[in-house]
C-alpha cells in the first residue's frame, strides 16, 4: 500500500517540480508540472510504473523514475495521496 | 486558451468518472478515475491530446477522447482547470 512517512525521503527528488505540497511548479524546461496533491494512490502508482516501463513518456518523468525502486514509487505515491485537498464546488 | 463556460457542455461526457467537480469516482471497469479539479490547463490539454494521438493509452480515455474535437478538449480543460482547490500543507 505504500508508506507515506517513508515517502517523504523520496519526495525530496520530486519537490522542485511538484512541491512538497504536491502543487505543480514552473519547470526549468518550460511549462508547469501537474498538481499531484491528494491524487488517488492507485493512479499515482500506475502513472509512475507506466513511465518506468516506457509506456508513458515525458522528458522529465522518464528520467526521474529511473532513480526510483518499486518501493520508492509506492511510498512517494502514498505521501502525495495523503495530502488533503478541498475542492470548491463549481457553480450549478 | 479554452472557454470554461463552453466546457460545461463537454464536461457532461466526463462527469460519470471525473465528477462535475473534478474529483475522481469509482469506475464500473474498476479502480478510481484521477482527480482533475484545478489541474493545470496545459497538462490537461497535453494529456487529452496524447490519448487522442494514441501516445498515451487507457481503456476508458482512449475511447472517451474519440468523441472530442480539439476545441472540445481546450474547453473542457479550461472548465476543470478553473475549479478552485485548496491544498492543506503537509506537516513540516
Amino acid at each position: 500500500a505504500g508508506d507515506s512517512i517513508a515517502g517523504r525521503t523520496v519526495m525530496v527528488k520530486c519537490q522542485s517540480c511538484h512541491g512538497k505540497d504536491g502543487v505543480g511548479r514552473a519547470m526549468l524546461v518550460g511549462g508547469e508540472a501537474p498538481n499531484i496533491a491528494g491524487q488517488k494512490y492507485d493512479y499515482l502508482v500506475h502513472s509512475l510504473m507506466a513511465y518506468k516501463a516506457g509506456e508513458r513518456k515525458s522528458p522529465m518523468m522518464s528520467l526521474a523514475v529511473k532513480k526510483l525502486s518499486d518501493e520508492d514509487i509506492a511510498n512517494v505515491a502514498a505521501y502525495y495521496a495523503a495530502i488533503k485537498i478541498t475542492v470548491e464546488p463549481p457553480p450549478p
Side-chain angles (χ1 to χ4, degrees), chain A residues 17-33:
Chain A
C17 295
H18 290 290
K20 184 179 174 182
D21 59 4
V23 177
R25 267 70 168 167
M27 297 184 288
L28 285 175
V29 294
E32 284 183 307

Side-chain angles (χ1 to χ4, degrees), chain A residues 5-23:
Chain A
I5 305 298
R8 289 173 62 90
T9 63
V10 185
M11 171 272 289
V12 173
K13 298 173 186 168
C14 316
Q15 65 178 344
S16 64
C17 295
H18 290 290
K20 184 179 174 182
D21 59 4
V23 177

